[in-house]
Amino acid sequence: MESDRLFSAQRQERLLAELRGSGAVRVRDLARELGVSELTIRRDITALAERGLVAKVHGGATLPSGNNTLSQPRRAAVRFTIGMVVPSLDFYWPPIVAGARAAAAALGVTVQLRGSSYDPDEDRRQIGRLVEARQVQGLLLAPSLDGDDADEILEWIGQLPVPTVLVERQPRRWTPGTRQIEWVRSDHSLGLEIAVYHLRQQGHRRIGLVLAQGSPTSEHLGRAWRTAATDPRASGALVLQETVTAPGERDVIVRILRQCRLARITALIVHSDPHAIAVAQFCAELGIAIPGDLAIVSYDDEIAHLADPAITAVRPPKSHVGRLAVELIVSRLLDGERRPPHRVLLAPELVVRGSSLPLSPLH
């Protein structure tokens, strides 16, 4: 029993350390990293919540609103309300929202969350409702910017009567209308470079890329891929780029795998996790061994660990993006135009798993 209490204390200290660093933790991530069941982590969270050290949320925990450092008392005078409009409330965005809420709680700020649908008209409607009702003093926005009207919606955002921080988005170019729009996003181009470097370190010399159609992340990855392919150091290693509409597109994925075999590709970078898992499943059907015949690195790390073998993945710093977005908007509200606009890139990390082990000597 004494040993059990010691292990429990160690887990809970690790949980608190993760919270201090990122502002939010997910049960499934901690369970995987610590090698215990999700039920064990939930019990740890409950124990800490009863002591007022964490706040329980669906699927994890955040810092409680009063959990500031002793040297920096809670800024009770700050009573801003911030609107946050994101394109989805499920895949990819929950950690960003959790990070934003954790930072807001620490600063005494209220967040009004709205879900959109990757539709510029719906973006305008949700943003307009928040502004017209005068409910918010600032906005965190992730508008759809992949259409012909991207510049138009950014100009419209730039003319709103409250300051704005774009989240996981940035204008393609500077204009007078966007000069005060700030942004914070994951550096997906760097994430691609990290994946390529990892695969080359494992001995792979011919690498392919598979992208999800219509994804803003795919746009960044594709641009970085084209740039990397022109680098003389690549030596023709980056040899395939394909796009998949839906994870279950059997014909498309099977065609890609056959192309890989013909082009002697030994590794694929796939965005996103559902597509990477679909590729792995079709590999199993076709007798393609992972990682023996084909290594896979996913981009997103939402569910990559559920595959068999678990898939190596690039993990964007989603919680930190949300936290920093709130800090930027509060800083803007406090300082006004006295400080220059901030445009921030945050580096992803690589989580290495079984799908990208070194090549065997036969290759």
Side-chain angles (χ1 to χ4, degrees):
M1 292 298 293
E2 185 66 30
S3 176
D4 289 343
R5 285 195 294 271
L6 176 62
F7 290 147
S8 176
Q10 290 172 332
R11 286 196 311 272
Q12 291 174 17
E13 182 54 40
R14 173 66 179 277
L15 191 154
L16 289 172
E18 291 285 336
L19 271 177
R20 295 184 194 109
S22 64
V25 295
R26 289 195 288 184
V27 169
R28 71 182 188 193
D29 292 341
L30 274 179
R32 184 172 70 251
E33 291 174 11
L34 299 181
V36 297
S37 69
E38 293 187 7
L39 178 60
T40 296
I41 297 299
R42 290 192 185 95
R43 287 172 175 165
D44 288 337
I45 290 174
T46 298
L48 291 170
E50 290 173 351
R51 295 159 56 192
L53 297 176
V54 306
K56 294 172 66 175
V57 297
H58 180 68
T62 65
L63 289 171
S65 59
N67 194 21
N68 281 336
T69 62
L70 295 177
S71 60
Q72 294 183 345
R74 190 170 186 265
R75 298 169 68 175
V78 178
R79 293 300 184 196
F80 299 127
T81 297
I82 297 169
M84 186 174 191
V85 181
V86 297
S88 170
L89 296 176
D90 46 27
F91 198 78
Y92 194 93
W93 289 95
I96 296 175
V97 172
R101 282 177 164 162
L107 293 169
V109 170
T110 300
V111 175
Q112 289 201 16
L113 179 65
R114 299 287 186 273
S116 186
S117 57
Y118 293 96
D119 182 337
D121 292 334
E122 180 64 11
D123 291 339
R124 285 178 182 260
R125 190 177 75 85
Q126 295 288 356
I127 296 167
R129 289 177 61 188
L130 289 171
V131 173
E132 290 165 9
R134 298 188 179 183
Q135 297 175 330
V136 298
Q137 289 78 53
L139 290 167
L140 306 180
L141 304 177
S144 178
L145 300 179
D146 56 355
D148 296 335
D149 56 354
D151 289 343
E152 180 183 341
I153 193 170
L154 284 173
E155 292 289 330
W156 177 75
I157 289 172
Q159 295 171 13
L160 293 172
V162 296
T164 297
V165 172
L166 300 184
V167 183
E168 290 289 23
R169 302 285 189 269
Q170 75 175 82
R172 295 176 184 173
R173 59 191 178 89
W174 181 92
T175 69
T178 62
R179 67 183 182 276
Q180 290 298 330
I181 295 180
E182 302 184 285
W183 51 262
V184 54
R185 70 169 179 84
S186 304
D187 190 345
H188 298 305
S189 296
L190 176 61
L192 180 79
E193 292 181 35
I194 291 171
V196 170
Y197 179 83
H198 166 70
L199 290 170
R200 290 181 65 80
Q201 288 294 105
Q202 306 311 310
H204 298 279
R205 292 297 177 264
R206 295 180 71 79
I207 302 168
L209 174 69
V210 177
L211 299 176
Q213 188 176 52
S215 164
T217 300
S218 287
E219 183 177 347
H220 292 294
L221 297 178
R223 189 180 304 117
W225 179 267
R226 291 188 291 274
T227 300
T230 62
D231 188 332
R233 293 172 295 179
S235 302
L238 311 183
V239 295
L240 171 73
Q241 178 182 334
E242 291 285 348
T243 300
V244 179
T245 303
E249 284 187 313
R250 176 184 174 84
D251 292 344
V252 175
I253 294 177
V254 169
R255 175 175 56 79
I256 290 171
L257 292 174
R258 287 172 177 162
Q259 284 182 277
C260 289
R261 181 168 290 176
L262 290 173
R264 293 180 291 112
I265 290 170
T266 60
L268 279 180
I269 301 168
V270 184
H271 175 256
S272 58
D273 287 3
H275 295 81
I277 290 175
V279 169
Q281 290 173 342
F282 287 123
C283 282
E285 288 186 18
L286 296 172
I288 300 172
I290 300 173
D293 297 321
L294 185 70
I296 298 177
V297 173
S298 181
Y299 197 98
D300 263 355
D301 201 32
E302 287 280 341
I303 54 174
H305 64 284
L306 298 177
D308 185 17
I311 296 176
T312 294
V314 177
R315 178 186 294 172
K318 301 169 191 175
S319 177
H320 289 279
V321 168
R323 289 174 62 85
L324 187 53
V326 168
E327 292 169 3
L328 283 179
I329 197 69
V330 171
S331 173
R332 172 62 65 193
L333 289 167
L334 291 172
D335 297 338
E337 296 186 5
R338 289 180 294 174
R339 71 160 175 80
H342 289 188
R343 284 81 190 255
V344 184
L345 290 173
L346 298 180
E349 64 175 320
L350 183 73
V351 182
V352 179
R353 301 189 180 99
S355 70
S356 63
L357 294 174
L359 284 170
S360 69
L362 294 178
H363 285 82

